[in-house]
Amino acid sequence: MKRILRNRWLNLALRFVIGGLFFYAAFEKVLHPAAFAMAVRGYKLIPFSLSNLFAIAVSWSELIAAAFLILGILTGK
């Protein structure tokens, strides 16, 4: 099992798949932060005054994480 998990090509494929999912999830949020902030407000988990900041931070964090995964930056190897 360890050999399978250390397979270079599997690692690359999983990085691309997970990075692609993060990119897909972040794309609309980055383009339309106000709509995402409204969705965040609907859950009523954070104060209304922080919803815009949270929406921007989450969307850009997802996009940066996607780029890091796809490019292989800070992957622990």
Side-chain angles (χ1 to χ4, degrees):
M1 184 69 162
K2 287 183 182 181
R3 193 177 79 169
I4 293 172
L5 293 176
R6 291 183 183 168
N7 184 322
R8 180 181 187 167
W9 298 107
L10 178 62
N11 189 341
L12 182 64
L14 288 174
R15 276 192 8 237
F16 281 174
V17 168
I18 295 170
L21 287 173
F22 270 59
F23 182 81
Y24 178 76
F27 188 70
E28 280 294 315
K29 294 175 195 170
V30 169
L31 289 180
H32 307 289
F36 181 50
M38 292 296 291
V40 167
R41 288 182 193 128
Y43 286 102
K44 298 179 183 174
L45 293 174
I46 60 172
F48 183 84
S49 60
L50 294 177
S51 61
N52 287 335
L53 179 63
F54 180 81
I56 291 169
V58 167
S59 59
W60 281 99
S61 296
E62 279 182 343
L63 193 64
I64 291 168
F68 277 27
L69 278 169
I70 291 169
L71 296 174
I73 300 171
L74 297 175
T75 58
K77 291 238 170 196

